Amino acid sequence: MTAYKAGFVNIIGKPNAGKSTLMNALVGEKLAIATPKAQTTRHRIIGIVSGEGYQIVYSDTPGILEPRYRLHKSMMEEVNQAMNDGDILLCLADAKEKEPFSEETISDLVNNPSRKLLVVNKADLSTQEELEAFMETWKQRLAAEDVLVISALHTFNLERLTAKLIDMLPEHPAYYGEDELTDKSERFLASEIVREQIFLQYRQEVPYSTEVIVSSFKDEPDILRIEADIMVERASQKGILIGHKGEALKQVGIAARKDLEKFFSKKIYLGLHVRIKENWRDNSQFLQQLGYHAK
Ligand code: GDP
Ligand code: MG
């Protein structure tokens, strides 16, 4: 009998590389919201996969970016932590990116003693020749021990990826119960599902100026009642969010409720309230309340 293997696989990479899509595909649940807009992911989220003789604890992280607000600094602290507390660093690259890792990230990675696996995503958008050249170049530049091409969106090659990761994991007992999927609360996951719709339905700075807080979460026998505050930074943004005769907010509610019903497998009541919290992205106290490690 082979020994049980378990460990932490931290997924890092630029915004839009496909980190959240990949984690959801691997876990088989939509734990992390993923949208075409960069910087959708703000918190580190773990997704747990337990199989025959192994447990992989994935961490999806915010994409690596230059901080412009205290919010971004806190996001980058979560990334820096992820660079150092995993057993395996899964370095995810979009095959179409010319510079999938910045010079700074490259030097951090080269000097990082963790085991590194380069995973080249969005294989569906490139030719075989392009992929081969990309793999060769970036495996060397990151000093990764191996490289694999996948498509997170089309779940191509994910079994090989899992097999490779199990191979690289240390022998260790399980860290979590076999039926656990994440460390995040249902309230948090619900707020993220609402936030995803805001990222999908509004343009420009509105999604980035928005935070969603679930203020009430009541699981009744026939219905799950969720009330959420949508925080914005300015009155003008509140107007945009609500829209003409409330039509825009209504669309967010309809779409989010559908996703929530799917996620919780239950009938949902969703109440949304838009509130103004000026410059919350630079307000340390407020960021702390939201669970960011802001200074
Ligand atoms: P993150 O910022 O790294 O978490 O990236 P997301 O998971 O949010 O994905 C960013 C965008 O890339 C989304 O629109 C995804 O649908 C898309 N995407 C992710 N993986 C693939 C893939 O394998 N192929 C294609 N064509 N698009 C993908
Ligand atoms: Mg993400």
Side-chain angles (χ1 to χ4, degrees):
M1 204 186 120
T2 49
Y4 195 90
K5 291 182 136 192
F8 292 81
V9 174
N10 296 347
I11 306 174
I12 59 149
K14 275 199 175 168
N16 260 359
K19 299 177 292 300
S20 299
T21 306
L22 175 61
M23 188 173 88
N24 290 336
L26 289 164
V27 178
E29 285 277 343
K30 216 180 122 175
L31 294 176
I33 62 173
T35 79
K37 291 196 176 67
Q39 301 172 41
T40 310
T41 308
R42 289 184 183 157
H43 288 280
R44 191 168 167 183
I45 298 173
I46 74 165
I48 305 160
V49 179
S50 302
E52 194 67 49
Y54 72 91
Q55 181 174 75
I56 308 179
V57 186
Y58 293 99
S59 264
D60 178 21
T61 63
I64 300 164
L65 54 95
E66 286 295 321
R68 283 177 55 205
Y69 298 95
R70 282 215 176 89
L71 170 67
H72 292 164
K73 278 207 188 112
S74 153
M75 285 160 64
M76 287 314 97
E77 273 172 33
E78 303 210 12
V79 175
N80 289 335
Q81 208 183 340
M83 292 277 258
N84 296 303
D85 66 3
D87 294 293
I88 300 168
L89 274 174
L90 192 165
C91 309
L92 192 68
D94 177 340
K96 282 283 179 202
E97 281 260 348
K98 281 219 163 55
E99 295 293 325
F101 302 94
S102 68
E103 289 302 329
E104 199 187 335
T105 308
I106 294 167
S107 80
D108 285 353
L109 285 171
V110 169
N111 295 314
N112 195 309
S114 310
R115 299 186 72 166
K116 282 162 284 180
L117 177 65
L118 171 63
V119 177
V120 179
N121 191 27
K122 310 196 186 181
D124 51 301
L125 302 178
S126 297
T127 64
Q128 191 62 32
E129 293 78 55
E130 285 169 334
L131 290 170
E132 273 165 22
F134 188 99
M135 284 162 78
E136 193 58 40
T137 309
W138 288 96
K139 179 176 177 240
Q140 274 192 14
R141 290 201 65 186
L142 302 186
E145 72 184 76
D146 214 337
V147 54
L148 207 68
V149 168
I150 63 158
S151 168
L153 190 63
H154 301 286
T155 64
F156 163 72
N157 233 2
L158 300 189
E159 273 128 45
R160 266 187 68 199
L161 173 59
T162 303
K164 180 82 220 157
L165 290 170
I166 295 169
D167 189 45
M168 288 168 76
L169 281 178
E171 286 180 13
H172 197 282
Y175 289 91
Y176 293 90
E178 295 241 316
D179 53 359
E180 282 182 73
L181 280 178
T182 184
D183 62 339
K184 293 287 188 216
S185 68
E186 292 185 321
R187 285 172 94 106
F188 173 81
L189 297 169
S191 71
E192 289 285 282
I193 288 171
V194 175
R195 205 162 63 78
E196 179 172 47
Q197 284 309 319
I198 295 169
F199 264 79
L200 290 172
Q201 299 196 23
Y202 299 89
R203 274 172 298 174
Q204 291 164 357
E205 98 287 6
V206 169
Y208 300 102
S209 308
T210 302
E211 183 61 284
V212 178
I213 304 168
V214 170
S215 55
S216 161
F217 190 95
K218 291 204 187 98
D219 200 356
E220 296 173 6
D222 303 324
I223 194 164
L224 177 57
R225 292 183 186 278
I226 301 170
E227 301 276 351
D229 290 336
I230 301 176
M231 316 296 295
V232 293
E233 295 196 312
R234 289 194 299 275
S236 58
Q237 294 162 347
K238 181 172 176 177
I240 295 170
L241 261 173
I242 293 172
H244 184 60
K245 293 188 173 159
E247 195 48 41
L249 188 62
K250 192 173 148 197
Q251 292 310 319
V252 170
I254 291 171
R257 193 163 55 81
K258 248 196 216 147
D259 286 355
L260 287 163
E261 288 189 335
K262 213 156 119 204
F263 187 78
F264 290 106
S265 304
K266 197 159 182 179
K267 193 165 156 53
I268 302 277
Y269 163 83
L270 178 64
L272 297 176
H273 318 275
V274 183
R275 300 188 199 286
I276 302 165
K277 178 92 188 170
E278 274 176 35
N279 300 325
W280 66 264
R281 282 184 292 184
D282 267 322
N283 181 333
S284 318
Q285 207 187 346
F286 185 66
L287 288 172
Q288 272 170 10
Q289 278 172 25
L290 294 176
Y292 296 102
H293 306 279
K295 278 190 212 92

